[in-house]
Amino acid sequence: MPPDRTDANPAALPQPRVIPRAQHNLTRKHISRGALRVLYGLHEHGFRACLVGGAVRDLLLGGRPKDFDVATNATPEEIRKIFRNCRLIGRRFRLAHVIFGPEIVEVATFRGSGAEGEGDRHLVDGRIVRDNVWGTIEEDALRRDFRVNALYYDIADFSIIDYVGGMQDLAQRRLHLIGDPEQRYREDPVRMLRAARLAAKLQFTIDPAAAEPFPRLGHLLGDAAPARLFDETMKLFMGGYGLASFRMLEHCGLLQHLFAGTARALARDEHGALRNLIEAGLAGTDARVAEGKPVTPAFLFAVLLWGEVYALARGMQSEGIDRTLAWQRAAHKVMAEQMARVAIPRRFSYAMEEIWALQPRFAERSRKRVFRLMAHPRFRAAYDFLLLRAAESGELRERGEWWTRAQALEAEQLAAELAQSRTPPPPVSGEPAAPRKRRRRRGGRGRKPPASSTPDAPS
Ligand code: ATP
Ligand code: MG
């Protein structure tokens, strides 16, 4: 192993455990072509080059990582000189992207521990806002979050280098935070979400010392950048382990800091209808991810926040506010609160509001309106949403079945059936009114909604 230059006190640095090639199961066969080219390219130019992080962890566990991270002692400028297909990105955390067609390999220079204010490392209230001090591989290992995420696969001799006891944690399926948990969460509160997500995905237990601060420090997520929380939310719910992640977030008491409205609605959910709706939505998304089908976060966010929108809208209606207006205001309020925490891009937030607003239109049976709804760009998501609701509500079951059947029919057949029966199905309590009902304002304004048979069940 080539020696590393270090100015730090050697006594403070961990003694690595080196696991030679013959004693571990990580083979190059499962490393992407792009990552191998980067590793060899750096090595041939005399730099240290290791695969690191989630890819090493997942490969040792027998999984197939989606992305491969490389750590090196080459600086971003040096990396760029070696690879023409390279882009330097990030200011807060500068790194290189080396691009091979659809594959992007992230290459990061070893980070040092860098004392407060030294070089390009900055903390605000204990939070790391900039981290661009280069260091040695030992220092780089210590600034990573969990021990299992700090294993290095060295392309020089195909060994695994373990500075912090990551191999033992992998064997025991445990997540230990490196260093003092409180300090590490204060530096970066998103690490709490990473703990919950990785525990759910890997079916690992979170070490008690790493879990203990959650109730005290969970609120620090309010200081995290909303755009970053959106990225993390995507990984939590759209990565194929959404249901497990959701349950883990709740178990850790972190859901309230990410989706406050959802946590509040669940606290009121006496009969479990909302929980069933949410869990079915997450399980459905996980199944689609497993089958390689497309998924949209708009659908899932619409599911997560439905209980809160529903309760707010009902409350406003009981105060005499018109149904349509109540639903618009409720949707607006819930979205505003949510977007202040998690920056959901506009295209998704619009889609969520559409999914909600389309719900009452499934009650309509005139030929024109049925075909118009089917042609709506959000029809599929809104119909899937209706089916989730129908599973929780006797009132809606017939409606869900009707639309399932309608889609299976040929267009002419459906048109003929619609021409025969013109009686609309009875209204379902509590849902948003279809926008066009506004025309009948005179009698409808300020009227109280019919009492729901299941007032606690926002399905
Ligand atoms: P996955 O890719 O499965 O979501 P991962 O552990 O690879 O999990 P990445 O976000 O790809 O997650 O990060 C790669 C590595 O960078 C991590 O394994 C860890 O070593 C380090 N890392 C990522 N985020 C942080 C953080 N907030 N604090 C410290 N180290 C981090
Ligand atoms: Mg990764």
Side-chain angles (χ1 to χ4, degrees):
M1 210 194 317
D4 271 301
R5 169 194 58 78
T6 170
D7 304 325
N9 169 15
L13 293 170
Q15 284 302 308
R17 186 180 150 213
V18 178
I19 300 108
R21 174 188 195 173
Q23 288 172 30
H24 64 73
N25 65 349
L26 198 160
T27 72
R28 272 167 294 164
K29 210 166 61 200
H30 298 136
I31 303 177
S32 72
R33 252 168 40 94
L36 282 174
R37 281 169 64 180
V38 169
L39 289 164
Y40 284 127
L42 289 164
H43 182 65
E44 280 158 17
H45 283 80
F47 294 107
R48 193 87 197 265
C50 299
L51 194 65
V52 68
V56 177
R57 178 197 72 213
D58 291 350
L59 286 170
L60 288 170
L61 288 170
R64 293 281 170 277
K66 291 182 303 297
D67 54 79
F68 292 84
D69 296 322
V70 170
T72 177
N73 58 354
T75 63
E77 286 70 25
E78 288 168 331
I79 299 165
R80 184 161 56 183
K81 280 192 198 134
I82 299 174
F83 305 101
R84 272 186 302 125
N85 46 334
C86 174
R87 239 186 5 216
L88 301 189
I89 63 151
R91 271 168 16 127
R92 210 185 124 257
F93 194 92
R94 289 187 66 209
L95 42 84
H97 275 176
V98 187
I99 299 148
F100 301 93
E103 188 189 358
I104 296 178
V105 181
E106 220 166 79
V107 191
T109 308
F110 296 142
R111 254 62 178 179
S113 46
E116 162 80 74
E118 183 188 291
D120 196 16
R121 185 176 208 258
H122 297 282
L123 284 86
V124 173
D125 298 335
R127 214 157 23 99
I128 298 178
V129 293
R130 221 171 156 89
D131 191 0
N132 290 318
V133 174
W134 312 146
T136 62
I137 183 169
E138 291 92 337
E139 291 173 303
D140 190 76
L142 291 180
R143 62 99 195 158
R144 291 182 182 271
D145 48 6
F146 302 99
R147 293 183 192 169
V148 293
N149 284 350
L151 294 165
Y152 295 75
Y153 173 76
D154 192 340
I155 202 67
D157 60 3
F158 314 119
S159 65
I160 302 269
I161 313 168
D162 180 4
Y163 292 96
V164 291
M167 289 302 271
Q168 197 185 346
D169 282 9
L170 271 189
Q172 293 178 351
R173 306 186 75 82
R174 273 179 168 277
L175 287 178
H176 271 105
L177 209 49
I178 299 168
D180 173 57
E182 170 138 1
Q183 185 195 342
R184 300 308 311 279
Y185 292 142
R186 285 193 184 278
E187 282 173 0
D188 181 7
V190 172
R191 288 173 183 152
M192 291 184 265
L193 296 178
R194 289 179 52 85
R197 175 167 67 82
L198 292 175
K201 169 179 153 169
L202 305 171
Q203 294 180 286
F204 275 28
T205 52
I206 305 176
D207 166 52
E212 179 274 325
F214 291 157
R216 271 184 300 118
L217 303 182
H219 69 94
L220 293 175
L221 284 165
D223 300 331
R228 207 169 150 223
L229 290 182
F230 174 74
D231 292 343
E232 197 54 38
T233 300
M234 293 293 286
K235 290 189 187 179
L236 278 160
F237 297 134
M238 311 299 284
Y241 307 88
L243 180 54
S245 297
F246 180 81
R247 288 179 174 161
M248 187 58 79
L249 279 180
E250 264 198 305
H251 176 75
C252 295
L254 296 172
L255 182 68
Q256 55 179 314
H257 301 295
L258 203 58
F259 283 85
T262 310
R264 281 196 301 270
L266 281 171
R268 296 188 299 262
D269 182 37
E270 283 171 32
H271 303 292
L274 179 62
R275 176 170 304 279
N276 291 343
L277 179 93
I278 290 175
E279 296 209 340
L282 288 160
T285 301
D286 289 346
R288 289 182 67 89
V289 172
E291 291 167 41
K293 291 184 184 166
V295 285
T296 166
F299 176 77
L300 213 51
F301 293 157
V303 171
L304 286 171
L305 294 172
W306 171 251
E308 185 70 349
V309 180
Y310 183 96
L312 262 181
R314 295 280 302 203
M316 290 186 201
Q317 284 174 63
S318 69
E319 286 164 16
I321 298 174
D322 162 80
R323 259 189 178 203
T324 306
L325 199 60
W327 271 90
Q328 279 171 356
R329 279 194 193 160
H332 191 77
K333 191 160 177 229
V334 169
M335 292 304 301
E337 181 194 39
Q338 190 55 51
M339 310 245 300
R341 182 56 53 97
V342 176
I344 300 171
R346 278 275 159 220
R347 64 182 186 284
F348 298 137
S349 65
Y350 285 144
M352 291 167 67
E353 294 192 44
E354 273 184 310
I355 290 169
W356 292 333
L358 287 179
Q359 293 307 304
R361 288 178 52 182
F362 286 101
E364 298 171 352
R365 298 289 152 86
S366 85
R367 189 179 128 162
K368 199 169 99 195
R369 287 177 181 172
V370 165
F371 282 101
R372 200 190 279 162
L373 183 52
M374 280 182 162
H376 193 285
R378 213 65 67 194
F379 171 78
R380 185 68 214 189
Y383 162 75
D384 286 343
F385 195 88
L386 172 72
L387 289 191
L388 284 185
R389 297 175 62 211
E392 293 307 312
S393 153
E395 283 182 294
L396 282 173
R397 194 172 316 126
E398 183 277 336
R399 196 185 285 182
E401 284 164 4
W402 190 91
W403 281 92
T404 304
R405 194 170 155 272
Q407 289 173 82
L409 294 177
E410 293 294 334
E412 298 91 72
Q413 216 180 341
L414 176 61
E417 281 197 17
L418 287 167
Q420 274 168 20
S421 88
R422 285 199 164 262
T423 25
V428 168
S429 51
E431 72 178 0
R436 97 191 98 260
K437 284 191 182 152
R438 262 180 158 184
R439 278 195 217 130
R440 295 195 341 232
R441 235 178 202 176
R442 262 179 301 151
R445 216 180 199 181
R447 227 189 318 153
K448 291 213 170 178
S452 166
S453 52
T454 50
D456 295 320
S459 46

